[in-house]
Each structure stands twice: as structure tokens, then as C-alpha cells.
């Protein structure tokens, strides 16, 4: 049965006719506002963003956690099969090369990024189907070693692959799920070459400044949140905390799922209920975030527009037998990546 449009905790549900993120932000920040709720279709807009308008994008004052205990419990039950390429995390294994491609595309799009220069010999260290592995250059004189922060790293699929890149200086991978993190550490021990560059830490984004203060002062070139934000309780507050770890000129890169009829049918009904290729309970359709909502977070105030560059999105579709493929425009209906650069010179942390 198709789920009804929900009332989420961060803001009232907006009517479908309200499409402008700035209008939604203004309405949602007014406690007296009560929008009509559309209950018959998952295309009704759900807003969970605008609960913390007064916080700086680089230094949120709230200490509340965005972690949902039920989500932690669910992913702990999947820990044992995380590294099985045909198991419960198969979709993540197949998506990993596109993650690297998207990061490469984001960084090469901006004159403010420190460009990655790869050698011909290093191409075999990249994910095998990554386009970056086929776009190498012989010049190694200006290689910049990148620092990664992987938030919600799970069993370490992306973290390990990032640590193997010849242009990586270090990867700090954090996750609040103890069972999953134990699998990540165990798997990493199989490759002694990872230990100098890859560090796992049991932490939420809110507790990271306390557990590792240098993460705030030194910051990171790439901060990744892949398949994470649709699992947190307070996405706006979560991103407020994430911002403080992005180096000026660095990139915040994410992947998530739009909240549409199509995504409910493919990810909830077909993937979980019919085909069983994704464990039941992995996704809560009500927590999916539309591309324009996520983009709107970075553009909703003048302060954020000075702090962040223009977001870039890439829609992807799973094709049986072929894996994940980029499909322009599909970010409006299903899985997508979104990247945004922290503007150089706007260091308010």
C-alpha cells in the first residue's frame, strides 16, 4: 500500500503547490503556519530542513544528535554481509565507482579546487570502472594529497577505495554503528597498506569535534556523506555540523534519493518487498529528500550563498545486468548525487 504523505518533525508539510525553497523556508519558520496535508500521494512535498535558521553554516550551536537508534540497530544486523558483493550491500558496491567519478567531476569543474593529477601507473589503483582511471596524465609535479572525511562510512566500501588512491593523504571514516564499524576495521586489516592512511572512528558528526579536535582545525578536501542523509532524523542540523569540516575550496559530496512515486515503487516496493535485493526496513520513503530541497538548503540565506558555491547534481539509475548509470534528469525522480564546494576565503569556523 502506498504510504501517505507524512508530517515530519522539522517543519510542517508543505502543499504540493509550494515549490520555491525560499518560500518553504519562510513558511516553515513561522510556527503559526499550518499547511494542508496531501495524504493520497507521495509526491506531496515534505520539508524537514529549516529548524535552525540562526546557526552559522560553519558552527552550529545545537548539540543534539541526528542519529536514529532504530537506523543503527538495522544496519548492525547487516554488518556480517557488508563486504559480500552479492549480499545486502550489493547496490553500494556497484555504486562505488560512480562516487569517485562524481568527486573527480566536481573537483575538476572549479578553478578553486586543488586539481588531482594522476600518473599513468596509478590508474590501476582507482576503482576499476571509474572514468578517472582512464583520464590520467604523465605530469606528477603538482600532485596534491587530499584529506577525506567519510561520514557514515558503514563497512568501509568507499573509505577503503579512497585510501587506495595515490593522491590520498588520509581518510578519516566515522560511523556510530559499532557492529558495522567492527566489520570495516576487520576488513581493512587484510590490506596492511591501508593502515598508514585509513582511520576508523566510532563517532557521530556531532561528537567528532570532541573526539578529534584537529578535524575541525585542519578540515578536509573532500567530505562525503553517501547514502546517509536519508537515514538521519534532522538533516538540516546534520548539514550544519558537517559544514565546519569542509576546507575552503573543498567539496561536500552526497548521494541520496528523491521522494517521488517512482522512488517509492523502485526502492521500497520492488527492491524491498518484491525482489528482496535490499533488506526490508532499509529505507523509509518519508525521509527521502528531493533534489530541490537539498539544493535549497545551500541557497536559502545570503550567509549560506556566501559560504557555499552552486550545487551540482547527477542523477543515476540502476540498470539490471549493467549496474548504476548516469541518466541526466533522473535526480528529480530517484537516486542522485549532489556536490557543493565551500567557497575559498569564506572561513568563518
Amino acid at each position: 500500500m502506498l504510504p501517505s504523505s507524512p508530517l515530519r518533525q522539522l517543519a510542517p508539510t508543505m502543499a504540493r503547490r509550494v515549490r520555491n525553497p525560499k518560500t518553504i523556508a519562510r513558511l516553515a519558520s513561522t510556527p503559526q503556519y499550518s499547511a494542508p496535508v496531501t495524504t493520497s500521494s507521495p509526491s506531496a512535498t515534505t520539508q524537514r530542513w529549516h529548524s535552525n535558521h540562526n546557526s552559522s553554516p560553519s558552527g552550529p550551536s545545537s548539540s543534539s544528535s541526528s542519529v536514529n537508534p532504530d537506523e543503527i540497530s538495522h544496519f548492525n544486523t547487516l554488518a556480517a554481509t557488508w563486504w559480500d558483493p552479492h549480499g545486502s550491500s550489493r547496490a553500494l558496491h556497484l555504486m562505488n565507482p560512480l562516487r569517485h567519478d562524481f568527486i573527480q567531476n566536481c573537483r575538476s569543474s572549479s578553478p578553486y579546487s586543488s586539481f588531482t593529477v594522476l600518473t599513468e601507473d596509478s590508474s590501476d589503483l582507482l576503482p576499476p570502472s571509474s572514468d578517472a582511471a582512464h583520464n590520467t596524465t604523465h605530469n606528477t609535479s603538482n600532485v596534491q594529497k587530499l584529506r577525506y572525511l567519510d561520514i557514515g562510512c558503514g563497512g568501509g566500501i568507499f573509505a577503503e577505495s579512497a585510501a587506495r588512491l595515490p593522491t590520498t593523504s588520509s581518510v578519516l571514516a566515522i560511523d556510530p554503528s559499532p557492529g558495522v564499524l567492527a566489520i570495516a576495521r576487520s576488513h581493512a586489516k587484510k590490506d596492511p597498506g591501508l593502515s598508514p592512511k585509513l582511520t576508523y572512528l566510532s563517532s557521530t558528526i556531532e561528537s567528532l569535534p570532541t573526539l578529534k579536535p584537529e578535524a575541525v582545525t585542519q578540515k578536509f578536501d573532500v567530505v562525503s556523506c553517501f547514502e546517509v542523509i536519508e537515514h538521519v532524523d534532522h538533516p538540516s542540523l546534520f548539514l550544519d555540523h558537517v559544514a565546519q569540516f569542509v576546507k575552503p575550496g573543498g567539496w561536500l559530496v552526497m548521494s541520496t534519493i528523491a521522494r517521488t512515486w517512482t522512488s517509492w515503487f523502485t526502492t521500497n516496493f520492488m527492491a524491498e518487498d518484491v525482489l528482496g535485493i535490499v533488506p526490508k526496513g532499509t529505507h523509509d520513503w518519508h525521509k527521502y529528500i528531493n533534489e530541490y530541497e537539498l539544493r535549497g538548503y545551500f541557497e536559502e540565506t545570503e550567509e549560506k550563498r556566501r559560504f557555499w558555491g552552486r550545487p551540482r547534481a547527477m542523477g543515476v539509475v540502476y540498470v539490471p545486468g549493467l549496474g548504476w548509470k548516469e541518466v541526466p534528469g533522473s535526480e528529480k525522480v530517484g537516486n542522485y548525487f549532489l556536490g557543493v564546494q565551500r567557497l575559498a576565503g569564506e572561513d568563518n569556523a
Side-chain angles (χ1 to χ4, degrees):
M1 180 178 179
L2 197 64
S4 62
S5 179
L7 284 172
R8 301 308 299 175
Q9 56 269 63
L10 290 192
T13 301
M14 299 297 145
R16 277 186 292 177
R17 64 178 178 271
V18 181
R19 293 295 185 185
N20 190 308
K22 293 182 181 179
T23 303
I24 294 174
R26 175 176 56 81
L27 295 173
S29 63
T30 306
Q32 294 80 9
Y33 177 78
S34 178
V37 179
T38 303
T39 59
S40 59
S41 166
S43 62
T45 303
T46 302
Q47 269 294 328
R48 299 183 292 136
W49 288 106
H50 307 284
S51 65
N52 196 18
H53 288 288
N54 296 325
S55 66
S56 165
S58 59
S61 58
S62 173
S63 59
S64 62
S65 174
S66 56
V67 173
N68 184 310
D70 292 336
E71 297 275 5
I72 301 300
S73 176
H74 174 76
F75 285 108
N76 275 331
T77 64
L78 305 180
T81 60
W82 205 279
W83 279 96
D84 179 358
H86 302 288
S88 61
S89 298
R90 173 174 170 77
L92 301 182
H93 286 272
L94 294 174
M95 185 179 281
N96 202 47
L98 278 181
R99 294 168 171 175
H100 289 278
D101 289 343
F102 184 68
I103 292 172
Q104 187 81 354
N105 291 339
C106 285
R107 299 191 69 252
S108 64
S109 71
S110 170
Y112 299 108
S113 292
S114 299
F115 290 104
T116 300
V117 181
L118 301 173
T119 69
E120 188 175 40
D121 292 337
S122 68
S123 62
D124 59 338
L125 297 177
L126 288 164
S129 61
S130 171
D131 289 343
H134 306 291
N135 294 313
T136 59
T137 175
H138 295 283
N139 180 14
T140 62
S141 59
N142 295 312
V143 174
Q144 185 220 5
K145 298 290 187 177
L146 302 179
R147 300 181 71 246
Y148 288 78
L149 172 62
D150 188 24
I151 301 170
C153 65
I157 295 171
F158 174 74
E160 278 200 16
S161 62
R164 290 191 175 95
L165 292 175
T167 51
T168 296
S169 170
S170 64
V171 177
L172 175 60
I174 67 171
D175 199 285
S177 307
V180 175
L181 207 58
I183 293 296
R185 288 171 171 152
S186 175
H187 193 272
K189 289 179 180 179
K190 298 177 181 179
D191 183 356
L194 291 173
S195 59
K197 295 200 294 185
L198 177 58
T199 301
Y200 286 112
L201 181 65
S202 179
S203 175
T204 64
I205 192 63
E206 293 87 358
S207 59
L208 185 57
T210 301
L211 296 175
K212 206 170 184 65
E214 63 270 27
V216 178
T217 56
Q218 296 177 8
K219 305 188 186 303
F220 298 86
D221 301 287
V222 178
V223 176
S224 57
C225 305
F226 292 128
E227 310 303 316
V228 169
I229 198 167
E230 70 271 23
H231 297 288
V232 304
D233 279 348
H234 306 288
S236 179
L237 291 174
F238 172 79
L239 289 176
D240 288 345
H241 283 281
V242 169
Q244 64 189 311
F245 298 101
V246 184
K247 180 186 297 184
W251 283 83
L252 169 60
V253 290
M254 299 166 281
S255 59
T256 189
I257 310 172
R259 191 180 60 261
T260 64
W261 280 88
T262 301
S263 67
W264 174 83
F265 181 79
T266 57
T267 66
N268 294 95
F269 180 67
M270 290 300 297
E272 294 188 18
D273 297 336
V274 177
L275 300 178
I277 59 176
V278 175
K280 286 184 68 67
T282 296
H283 295 117
D284 179 352
W285 176 87
H286 300 88
K287 298 173 79 171
Y288 290 1
I289 299 169
N290 291 320
E291 186 268 348
Y292 74 85
E293 294 172 325
L294 189 53
R295 179 184 296 271
Y297 166 85
F298 298 101
E299 299 175 337
E300 65 181 352
T301 66
E302 182 63 29
E303 183 181 16
K304 285 183 177 177
R305 289 192 293 273
R306 290 196 305 266
F307 191 88
W308 297 107
R310 186 174 181 178
R312 294 170 55 91
M314 181 178 82
V316 294
V317 172
Y318 179 75
V319 181
L322 297 176
W324 292 94
K325 299 296 179 182
E326 177 182 358
V327 177
S330 63
E331 65 272 13
K332 307 297 183 183
V333 297
N335 291 77
Y336 66 94
F337 289 88
L338 189 137
V340 59
Q341 184 181 33
R342 179 174 172 180
L343 298 179
E346 291 291 335
D347 193 349
N348 300 320

